[in-house]
Amino acid sequence: MKTTKTILKINSNGELVQWNEKLRRFELTSRSWSWSDIAPEFLEESKSNFENKKV
C-alpha cells in the first residue's frame, strides 16, 4: 500500500488547500495546521497569500 504525504498550502484567497492526487488539483480543506505543515515548496507563497488576506 502506497502512503502519500499530505501537501498543504495557503491559496491566493487565503484559504488552506490540500493536494488531491486523484484529481491532480488543490482542494479546500478544514483542519488544524501550523506553518510546519505547509509543504516547503509552497511556504513562501503561502506566507505571502496569508499576509495579503489577513483581516
Side-chain angles (χ1 to χ4, degrees), residues 4-11 14-33 37-39 42 46:
T4 58
K5 181 182 174 229
T6 301
I7 299 174
L8 297 172
K9 75 174 190 173
I10 305 294
N11 68 12
E15 302 162 320
L16 182 66
V17 291
Q18 179 175 336
W19 180 252
N20 182 324
E21 184 61 40
K22 289 181 182 177
L23 299 177
R24 312 266 316 140
R25 67 179 184 201
F26 282 97
E27 297 183 322
L28 287 174
T29 185
S30 59
R31 58 184 277 174
S32 60
W33 63 279
D37 297 326
I38 302 296
F42 296 111
S46 293

